[in-house]
Amino acid sequence: MTTPTRRRSAPVSPVFLGIVAVAAASGWATWTGSADSLGTGVAVFVFVTAAWIVSLCLHEYAHARSALHSGDTSIGAKGYLTLNPLLYTHALLSIVLPVLFVIMGGIGLPGGAVFIERHRIPGRWRHSLISAAGPLTNVLFAVVCTAPFWLDALDGVPDTFRFALGFLALLQVTAAILNFLPVPGLDGYGVIEPWLSPNIRRQAEPFAPFGLLVVFGVLWIPGVNAVFFDAVDAILRGLGVTDWDTYWGQQLYRFWQGAPDIPSIGP
């Protein structure tokens, strides 16, 4: 028998719809361009940031929705199914830090957000799938962002919008890869945690609050950073997105460093 919690369809939050509207408006501004490259850079910044926050909301929604269907019927009452980022348990980790990571290093890394009552959920496979649902959403978002590239459908797409999509795709790919790392506090660890012994889980638990920051800190090591982004670039090239696209997308995004001379598609 289906419970009332599962039957009801939670209304989408006006906050989320507002973020989507900002992403759409700034995407249109990026597409049409402006009188100067600085103005275009601001439009790219707003578009990519808003779209990134939308993907963060969808990431957490995927966790919540899969938890609901796995047995945690308390999810609906917490408001997670409304996609409202203000209802996340850790707004700092869920929204503020991921946006700062993008601004500081061009790295997409979602944080922890929704509280799932794991004791309500039977079966190790269900726990693993709940953890995997978030980064799999980033994978899907990356596929959508890169669709014009791998479908060879870029004719008529302005260069600035192409560059913005390329940079947004880079964020989604980095988010998917990093979140699948088996580090306490990240979704990758959540995938394997149900299969670990109780003793190992107890030992790893104190490190969970710091996993996100440790991963970000390690990525500042030049050698690690180079290897990581070589792997990211290889994946993006497989999806039709070139280094040229992501480089200029990030240059436009960082409009505060000075307005770049927006190039035409080059070599």
Side-chain angles (χ1 to χ4, degrees):
M1 178 177 178
T2 306
T3 65
T5 305
R6 294 192 187 195
R7 276 200 305 266
R8 284 197 301 267
S9 178
V12 177
S13 163
V15 175
F16 177 75
L17 293 177
I19 298 170
V20 172
V22 170
S26 54
W28 176 84
T30 299
W31 183 285
T32 57
S34 71
D36 55 77
S37 57
L38 177 60
T40 300
V42 173
V44 169
F45 174 82
V46 176
F47 169 59
V48 172
T49 301
W52 173 235
I53 294 175
V54 167
S55 75
L56 293 176
C57 294
L58 294 174
H59 176 110
E60 302 307 336
Y61 176 85
H63 285 311
R65 175 59 70 175
S66 58
L68 174 67
H69 290 287
S70 295
D72 183 4
T73 55
S74 70
I75 288 293
K78 295 182 177 75
Y80 298 148
L81 301 180
T82 68
L83 291 152
N84 185 352
L86 301 179
L87 297 179
Y88 296 155
T89 54
H90 297 291
L92 176 65
L93 291 177
S94 304
I95 300 296
V96 178
L97 282 181
V99 170
L100 284 177
F101 291 160
V102 171
I103 292 173
M104 293 171 60
I107 298 172
L109 187 57
V114 298
F115 175 70
I116 296 169
E117 298 185 19
R118 294 278 183 171
H119 65 277
R120 293 173 175 262
I121 301 170
R124 290 182 291 184
W125 278 108
R126 292 184 181 184
H127 288 278
S128 294
L129 289 173
I130 290 168
S131 294
L136 286 175
T137 303
N138 294 110
V139 171
L140 179 59
F141 211 106
V143 170
V144 172
C145 287
T146 58
F149 296 86
W150 51 264
L151 288 174
D152 196 22
L154 288 166
D155 288 346
V157 176
D159 290 350
T160 52
F161 191 81
R162 170 180 178 150
F163 298 149
L165 275 185
F167 182 52
L168 183 59
L170 179 144
L171 298 180
Q172 300 302 324
V173 171
T174 58
I177 293 174
L178 293 174
N179 243 279
F180 270 128
L181 293 177
V183 176
L186 298 182
D187 291 326
Y189 178 76
V191 172
I192 67 171
E193 184 182 23
W195 308 91
L196 302 176
S197 69
N199 184 47
I200 293 178
R201 281 184 278 175
R202 280 195 299 271
Q203 292 178 355
E205 187 176 359
F207 298 99
F210 310 105
L212 184 70
L213 296 177
V214 169
V215 168
F216 187 68
V218 169
L219 284 173
W220 280 95
I221 300 173
V224 175
N225 187 279
V227 171
F228 174 72
F229 276 104
D230 282 346
V232 170
D233 290 340
I235 293 172
L236 288 170
R237 283 195 296 272
L239 292 169
V241 181
T242 67
D243 299 352
W244 178 268
D245 297 313
T246 56
Y247 172 79
W248 282 108
Q250 187 167 21
Q251 292 301 306
L252 287 167
Y253 182 82
R254 295 178 172 176
F255 69 91
W256 58 89
Q257 294 181 344
D261 293 327
I262 303 174
S264 298
I265 294 297

